[in-house]
Amino acid sequence: MIYTYDVTHAMALLLKHELVADEKYQSFIQQCTQCRQQLQQTELSFLSPPSQRSQCRYFNIERLINWAIKLLDSPIDIIVELVPNIEPAILRQKLKSKLGWLINYQEPLSIWSQMVQMTRTVETHLKTCGLHQKLSSVLKLQQLTMGANSLVNFQLKIIDYLTIESSKIQSEQTILATSDVIESLFGKYKQFSSRCPFKQISQMILSISLSTMKLTGSVVKLALETVRYLDLEAWSDQVFGQSMLSKRRTVFTASNNDTESA
């Protein structure tokens, strides 16, 4: 059994370790939150920073970084045209008041953007080509070696991850580097199961297999002709037993006549 660390999670963890201790970045995300609150329900709400995830926020930090970079690069004349009901002078003052703080982050934004690009380069390669012994040397020759001197330590951490993971692979062997597909399937299952009043593993688990195939009229017809509903119901009862909802209905819809209270 070869145990490998999922590349998506590994890159997010490297970013987290680097940015959690970065006071400038922590100040940036705090100001993004304040800015979003100040701009919502105003005529400038279309300029609001994207909402931040409460969990796993280091998986997609480029959303905030790209928002800031693109907003700083946007000509102010375009924004003026999009808000014609405000005098240009007043609008410029509002933009300076609500978004002027971004100027202080121009240099670190470039660094953070390069860090994200490095991790995405690694993710793209590993998700496309898999884990193999020559992985570290291949990526050293690509965009991974680009960047400012301040990114050298971050680059070395990525190379360390690649070296450790590729050392587990035998010669001429290639294996999966991510569980994205499995996580996506469970994500779809959770989306389906969220409609259930009680959270439990039940018949809805079958939706996972449905997500892996293309449903056509002929497939549905074959299924209906091959498997009887009675057989499916019997199998479900044997595997899952009585559902929590069914048990609840039994208790709360039972007649109270000639019965003693529990």
Side-chain angles (χ1 to χ4, degrees):
M1 178 69 71
I2 300 176
Y3 173 80
T4 59
Y5 202 104
D6 181 273
V7 63
T8 306
H9 291 262
M11 294 300 104
L13 192 60
L14 286 179
L15 287 171
K16 180 179 180 179
H17 286 168
E18 197 74 17
L19 297 176
V20 161
D22 188 337
E23 294 182 1
K24 194 74 172 179
Y25 180 78
Q26 295 305 316
S27 171
F28 170 70
I29 60 175
Q30 289 176 6
Q31 289 200 269
C32 283
T33 300
Q34 295 173 4
C35 179
R36 183 175 175 82
Q37 294 171 348
Q38 293 173 0
L39 292 182
Q40 63 183 0
Q41 308 302 327
T42 73
E43 62 275 357
L44 297 179
S45 59
F46 66 95
L47 297 175
S48 298
S51 59
Q52 301 177 48
R53 299 172 60 172
S54 58
Q55 296 179 339
C56 306
R57 62 174 53 187
Y58 290 92
F59 280 81
N60 60 347
I61 66 171
E62 65 265 36
R63 293 181 63 209
L64 279 178
I65 295 173
N66 290 343
W67 165 81
I69 292 175
K70 289 180 179 179
L71 194 56
L72 285 169
D73 292 340
S74 296
I76 194 169
D77 293 338
I78 294 179
I79 300 176
V80 170
E81 292 177 2
L82 294 172
V83 193
N85 57 324
I86 301 180
E87 290 292 332
I90 297 176
L91 178 59
R92 291 173 188 272
Q93 186 60 37
K94 281 190 174 184
L95 290 172
K96 183 178 180 180
S97 171
K98 303 297 183 183
L99 297 166
W101 57 271
L102 282 173
I103 303 277
N104 300 323
Y105 294 95
Q106 277 187 310
E107 184 176 346
L109 279 168
S110 175
I111 301 296
W112 300 334
S113 179
Q114 290 180 67
M115 290 170 59
V116 172
Q117 183 57 45
M118 290 179 196
T119 62
R120 297 300 179 257
T121 298
V122 173
E123 289 180 31
T124 300
H125 184 87
L126 265 66
K127 292 178 182 181
T128 305
C129 304
L131 275 170
H132 50 86
Q133 277 193 348
K134 299 179 181 179
L135 181 62
S136 181
S137 59
V138 169
L139 286 171
K140 282 181 182 178
L141 298 176
Q142 295 186 10
Q143 298 179 16
L144 188 58
T145 56
M146 299 174 60
N149 292 332
S150 58
L151 295 173
V152 170
N153 288 335
F154 186 69
Q155 293 174 348
L156 292 176
K157 291 178 182 178
I158 295 179
I159 300 246
D160 285 343
Y161 162 79
L162 297 174
T163 303
I164 292 172
E165 296 303 304
S166 60
S167 66
K168 304 173 185 178
I169 315 301
Q170 298 178 4
S171 179
E172 305 301 327
Q173 183 183 27
T174 301
I175 64 175
L176 291 174
T178 180
S179 59
D180 281 1
V181 174
I182 296 174
E183 292 188 36
S184 176
L185 288 174
F186 274 103
K188 291 181 179 180
Y189 164 69
K190 288 194 289 186
Q191 183 180 9
F192 279 116
S193 62
S194 64
R195 305 170 188 173
C196 300
F198 291 97
K199 304 304 179 186
Q200 66 173 134
I201 304 264
S202 62
Q203 295 95 327
M204 292 298 292
I205 198 76
L206 296 175
S207 63
I208 291 181
S209 59
L210 291 176
S211 300
T212 64
M213 61 185 300
K214 183 177 181 181
L215 285 177
T216 62
S218 59
V219 170
V220 174
K221 181 175 182 293
L222 178 63
L224 293 173
E225 292 175 346
T226 306
V227 182
R228 298 190 309 165
Y229 175 74
L230 290 176
D231 295 333
L232 179 61
E233 192 174 42
W235 173 85
S236 178
D237 290 340
Q238 180 183 357
V239 174
F240 301 107
Q242 189 175 9
S243 68
M244 292 177 62
L245 179 60
S246 175
K247 292 178 181 179
R248 183 177 178 84
R249 285 173 176 170
T250 300
V251 172
F252 290 100
T253 62
S255 173
N256 291 326
N257 297 331
D258 301 325
T259 60
E260 295 182 4
S261 301

